[in-house]
Amino acid sequence: MSGYYLYHSIGTFPGKAVAMSAALTGFSEIWSAEDDGQWPAAMAARKRFIDLWSTLIDAPAGSLTTAQNVTTALYSLVGSLPEASLAGRRVLVAADCFPSLHFMLAKIAPRFSFVLDTVPMRPGERWVREEDMIARWQDDVGVALLTFVTSTASHRSDMARLVEHGHRMGTIVGADITQGVGVAPFSVEHSNVDFVVSTSLKWLCGTSGAGILQLRPDLLSRCEPELRGWFSQENPFSWDLDRFAYAPDARRFDHGTPAILASVASLPGLEWVISTGVDAIRAQNFALTSRIIERSLENGWVLGSPLDEHERGGSVMLSLPENLDAATVVSALREQKLYCDARGSTLRLSPGSVTSLDDVDALCDALKQMME
């Protein structure tokens, strides 16, 4: 039995340990060799990482680069925008965005002279409604950050509706796709967003430190990152201190010497997701989450995620009764080799490729016993 329900945190797949070990061992051997092949091999691995990500989300060539995480990716993007995009304008986010991004935006708002406007959830609700975002969204919004799938409700946004409205308002519209990419189809081309931030954790089964930033080519050409370095140039080996020029593509966001190890460690997960296919991953996940929802409704448990599969990511959230402490529930499940986590009183359940229907029933049986 595999009682693993933590794909919203760290994803896995059959044979992951062996695949990652081989990738890291191979890199270690190259990096330790007493020759001059280290950097060519390292940059080739990074390029492979970028190419796989570009394939996964239908990103145009040259529009995507690496970042440490979603927060640094967004910070780098904000610091690169033309002044008129932000100064005296609003940056619009939803209250159910990933908190780290809100923390960062709130801190830098005075320096970039924008107002951070956070659309709240309605009382008693678990996610921000699209109509509430749109009602708050006028032509003074310079940048809007959308959350593809939320981390606390697994609510999947109607991206097409929101992006269309945003572009009518003249807004630069970005998306944090971290909690959905790999289990829900996402295409840069079809979504029409202006930029994307994400990471290779979660459903992509990679490691921390392997984030990405992707921009539409027409926006990219107008960006001048304030965080820049020798790798931001067309030719990184240009040492003329007075003739710096940004690279014409996403490399202008690369700044200093790029980190390689996280990309290498994340390649097996990306390769597995692409070879398996997001549609197949989604179909298996849907069967498992449907069983969790079915058992929850049978037992009268309070669900904190949408029932409509088109409005839900790959997770199901359960609201625990007031008489049950979430940490105690998580600990008791762990003793039965059932692994999940909680945010407040919300139990987060994310089954994936190593989980079966029998595993889901074992989880629900254990929860039922505790609930009763």
Side-chain angles (χ1 to χ4, degrees):
M1 184 186 81
S2 177
Y4 193 75
Y5 299 88
L6 287 166
Y7 278 78
H8 56 264
S9 179
I10 300 174
T12 190
F13 60 93
K16 179 181 178 181
V18 173
M20 279 190 66
S21 178
L24 292 170
T25 298
F27 181 78
S28 178
E29 291 172 351
I30 292 169
W31 197 252
S32 304
E34 296 176 1
D35 56 30
D36 62 353
Q38 292 92 341
W39 276 113
M43 296 308 292
R46 181 173 184 257
K47 182 180 184 301
R48 171 71 173 158
F49 174 87
I50 290 171
D51 289 346
L52 287 173
W53 254 104
S54 299
T55 297
L56 181 66
I57 64 173
D58 294 330
S63 70
L64 186 149
T65 192
T66 58
Q68 182 179 0
N69 51 54
V70 292
T71 310
T72 57
L74 182 61
Y75 180 85
S76 188
L77 180 278
V78 171
S80 76
L81 293 173
E83 184 179 357
S85 300
L86 294 169
R89 308 191 73 183
R90 285 187 293 143
V91 170
L92 193 70
V93 297
D96 54 3
C97 71
F98 188 59
S100 182
L101 302 180
H102 197 279
F103 297 154
M104 184 272 294
L105 290 170
K107 176 63 176 177
I108 67 173
R111 183 158 74 87
F112 290 96
S113 302
F114 65 81
V115 174
L116 181 60
D117 190 2
T118 307
V119 181
M121 289 177 271
R122 297 187 184 187
E125 297 193 353
R126 305 299 179 90
W127 57 85
V128 176
R129 296 191 187 188
E130 277 83 4
E131 54 264 39
D132 292 346
M133 284 287 287
I134 289 172
R136 194 81 152 252
W137 196 336
Q138 288 79 41
D139 61 8
D140 65 329
V141 175
V143 176
L145 179 66
L146 307 179
T147 303
F148 179 38
V149 174
T150 66
S151 61
T152 51
S154 196
H155 172 251
R156 182 174 167 184
S157 297
D158 187 344
M159 299 290 288
R161 180 185 180 192
L162 292 170
V163 173
E164 181 184 8
H165 175 80
H167 285 165
R168 284 203 306 269
M169 296 297 106
T171 302
I172 296 171
V173 184
D176 172 12
I177 64 172
T178 302
Q179 285 288 354
V181 64
V183 72
F186 181 87
S187 165
V188 166
E189 180 180 356
H190 295 152
S191 68
N192 206 28
V193 292
D194 298 301
F195 69 88
V196 167
V197 293
S198 192
T199 179
S200 303
L201 282 166
K202 309 178 194 299
W203 303 98
L204 297 185
C205 307
T207 70
S208 60
I212 61 104
L213 170 64
Q214 189 277 333
L215 298 88
R216 285 171 60 97
D218 57 339
L219 174 62
L220 194 154
S221 65
R222 295 185 282 126
C223 292
E224 295 188 353
E226 64 173 7
L227 178 59
R228 67 185 194 181
W230 69 308
F231 263 78
S232 308
Q233 306 175 98
E234 171 67 18
N235 174 19
F237 298 101
S238 172
W239 298 97
D240 191 331
L241 300 183
D242 299 318
R243 300 191 60 173
F244 175 89
Y246 287 105
D249 54 17
R251 289 177 298 145
R252 65 179 53 199
F253 284 92
D254 282 352
H255 47 85
T257 305
I260 303 295
L261 200 56
S263 296
V264 170
S266 297
L267 284 175
L270 284 167
E271 290 166 345
W272 179 82
V273 168
I274 290 174
S275 64
T276 303
V278 174
D279 288 343
I281 292 170
R282 177 69 177 175
Q284 193 229 9
N285 170 265
F286 175 69
L288 300 172
T289 52
S290 294
R291 178 66 67 88
I292 294 174
I293 291 171
E294 177 187 354
R295 292 287 304 269
S296 298
L297 294 175
E298 285 176 358
N299 291 300
W301 301 338
V302 178
L303 289 164
S305 299
L307 293 179
D308 187 335
E309 64 169 301
H310 302 293
E311 297 178 6
R312 191 177 67 249
S315 307
V316 175
M317 313 302 182
L318 288 178
S319 295
L320 295 172
E322 292 183 0
N323 65 316
L324 280 181
D325 174 68
T328 301
V329 170
V330 170
S331 178
L333 290 173
R334 185 185 302 116
E335 291 178 0
Q336 300 181 55
K337 297 185 178 180
L338 299 166
Y339 303 100
C340 60
D341 67 13
R343 291 293 181 268
S345 62
T346 299
L347 200 64
R348 302 197 298 175
L349 304 172
S350 305
S353 62
V354 300
T355 320
S356 70
L357 286 173
D358 288 341
D359 300 329
V360 169
D361 282 335
L363 171 77
C364 293
D365 289 343
L367 282 173
K368 183 177 181 181
Q369 187 174 10
M370 281 185 273
M371 296 280 197
E372 292 176 347

